[in-house]
Amino acid sequence: MKDPIVEIDNLQKHYGGSKGFFGRVRKPVKAVDGVSFTIHPGEVVGLVGESGSGKSTVGRTLLRLHEPTAGKIRFDGEDITHATPQRMRALRRDMQIIFQDPYSSLNPRTRVIDIVGEALDLLGPLPKAERSERVVQLLEQVGLTGDHLRRFPHEFSGGQRQRLCIARALAVRPRFVVADEPVAALDVSIQAQIMNLLVDLQREIGIAMLFISHDLGLVEFIADRVMVMYLGRVVEMAPARELYANPRHPYTRALLSTAPTVDPRAARARKRELLQGEPPSPANPPSGCTFRTRCPFAVDACAVERPAYRQVGAGHFHACIRDDVAGGQVVPQVA
Ligand SMILES: Nc1ncnc2c1ncn2[C@@H]1O[C@H](COP(=O)(O)OP(=O)(O)OP(=O)(O)O)[C@@H](O)[C@H]1O
Ligand SMILES: [Mg+2]
């Protein structure tokens, strides 16, 4: 297998934790608390979990839009954990992000020609005619046209704006893209169009992607491999088909039992294990397994220590000590 393009080793991102007013110590929010994974060239890895589980923080920290608290980030073999701003600027060509809200990520006073053109400029200056020709090509690639060149973002629908953001991200020919809930802000009817576009482009260009969503159905549609996150940690990862057919961790099973699915047989086979209540605060997570306070299978031992990863199949890992429930053999490290 080719070397990974992204390697994340024990990544942590804690927010705050500084001394508060009157010297009171505020606990840090452990948004990401020891996450390790790899993404290979051309691979789409899905990252799912409830709101607040730390998905966006993983995506932004690995792009160094946020500074990591601890851990290691490697891109294409290079350790970029502490890369300088200059180095990161150069690397931006190779690593791009598509955000959930296509409006706030576009400058309202910039015309389409420059929104996409300025991204192109990162590759080096182009003669004017060539530049706009290339912008038109990119617009057409995402289902827009050259007629849109002089328009401003507010003259587009939500779906068109997201197409524009995708064109801008692709302009630099990145090798890796973080797509952070790219269709969550769009009408359901438009979501399918944008998902199809992303899948087609991904296949065409062979770009590697971290696809973030709380919607398991969307992730199933696009991802080769899926990671399930809970309160700052990855509790299960597996090839996509395997995860949906054979979920092991009680949290994954609960998530899947509440999610709509494309396969009705799988839906029937899943017993409903509804998620109760809200996740605890990442500023004050439970000891041991952080899911234990909502887990129907929790026993006293779950409170004692952070569960090690167990392997249950090729590329399939989970972090649950209830071997009778989830199965598997303890493995020292997961990547
Ligand atoms: N800039 C910040 N300062 C302080 N806390 C933050 C900051 N950004 C995120 N958090 C906290 O970190 C945790 C993880 O947030 P994050 O946005 O990564 O979750 P998420 O899984 O992307 O959620 P959603 O599905 O709602 O987008 C949350 O508890 C959040 O409140
Ligand atoms: Mg998010």
Side-chain angles (χ1 to χ4, degrees):
M1 206 194 266
K2 279 187 252 170
D3 288 337
I5 185 153
V6 175
E7 291 169 85
I8 304 299
D9 186 18
N10 199 20
L11 185 70
Q12 297 180 34
K13 175 64 188 176
H14 301 173
Y15 292 108
S18 57
K19 269 210 176 132
F21 206 41
F22 295 128
R24 261 180 306 180
V25 181
R26 260 178 294 171
K27 279 194 169 179
V29 173
K30 295 180 176 174
V32 177
D33 192 23
V35 165
S36 304
F37 61 90
T38 55
I39 301 177
H40 285 85
E43 187 184 29
V44 181
V45 173
L47 181 56
V48 299
E50 285 166 288
S51 180
S53 55
K55 306 179 297 294
S56 296
T57 306
V58 167
R60 286 169 200 214
T61 309
L62 79 84
L63 294 178
R64 290 279 319 276
L65 300 173
H66 292 327
E67 284 306 298
T69 306
K72 221 171 224 147
I73 307 163
R74 262 197 216 89
F75 184 76
D76 202 16
E78 176 182 345
D79 185 340
I80 61 160
T81 321
H82 305 290
T84 61
Q86 292 93 304
R87 181 67 193 132
M88 284 316 300
R89 260 199 300 283
L91 285 168
R92 288 279 167 255
R93 276 178 231 160
D94 280 333
M95 35 196 340
Q96 287 283 310
I97 184 162
I98 301 165
F99 292 103
Q100 168 173 348
D101 180 356
Y103 200 62
S104 66
S105 60
L106 294 169
N107 184 338
R109 282 181 292 274
T110 309
R111 293 181 195 271
V112 168
I113 170 101
D114 289 316
I115 288 173
V116 181
E118 279 163 19
L120 273 179
D121 296 342
L122 286 172
L123 295 176
L126 281 176
K128 212 171 163 196
E130 222 172 290
R131 185 177 185 255
S132 54
E133 199 176 308
R134 180 79 187 114
V135 173
V136 172
Q137 271 174 10
L138 282 157
L139 292 178
E140 286 172 353
Q141 206 174 5
V142 298
L144 298 172
T145 72
D147 296 342
H148 295 129
L149 272 185
R150 313 292 311 162
R151 292 210 202 158
F152 291 101
H154 70 264
E155 296 173 73
F156 289 99
S157 68
Q160 286 175 317
R161 269 180 239 146
Q162 195 56 297
R163 288 175 192 273
L164 193 54
C165 291
I166 295 168
R168 178 179 62 179
L170 295 179
V172 290
R173 299 204 180 99
R175 286 185 296 155
F176 172 63
V177 173
V178 172
D180 190 353
E181 307 256 16
V183 301
L186 305 176
D187 282 358
V188 175
S189 57
I190 311 293
Q191 286 187 352
Q193 293 174 13
I194 300 293
M195 285 304 292
N196 282 324
L197 173 68
L198 281 173
V199 169
D200 289 347
L201 288 172
Q202 196 278 329
R203 295 223 176 105
E204 215 174 290
I205 314 173
I207 211 167
M209 193 187 295
L210 180 68
F211 183 88
I212 298 175
S213 178
H214 60 273
D215 184 334
L216 283 144
L218 287 182
V219 171
E220 185 173 18
F221 184 67
I222 195 168
D224 301 309
R225 211 144 54 82
V226 178
M227 302 190 288
V228 180
M229 228 179 143
Y230 186 77
L231 225 59
R233 300 177 186 174
V234 171
V235 297
E236 183 160 7
M237 68 170 82
R241 199 171 302 160
E242 164 74 5
L243 187 101
Y244 288 91
N246 193 14
R248 297 299 189 109
H249 194 283
Y251 179 60
T252 312
R253 285 159 51 171
L255 269 187
L256 281 172
S257 72
T258 59
T261 171
V262 278
D263 179 356
R265 270 168 316 168
R268 274 198 297 277
R270 284 174 200 151
K271 270 200 248 112
R272 281 183 88 71
E273 291 163 12
L274 287 177
L275 272 175
Q276 310 245 324
E278 296 286 310
S281 159
N284 202 8
S287 64
C289 171
T290 52
F291 184 57
R292 69 181 167 80
T293 51
R294 296 168 84 196
C295 181
F297 305 105
V299 292
D300 289 349
C302 298
V304 179
E305 58 184 52
R306 179 174 179 155
Y309 284 103
R310 284 159 166 78
Q311 183 159 18
V312 284
H316 190 170
F317 303 89
H318 69 78
C320 173
I321 62 167
R322 286 289 308 264
D323 297 334
D324 51 330
V325 171
Q329 294 207 316
V330 176
V331 285
Q333 221 188 342
V334 169

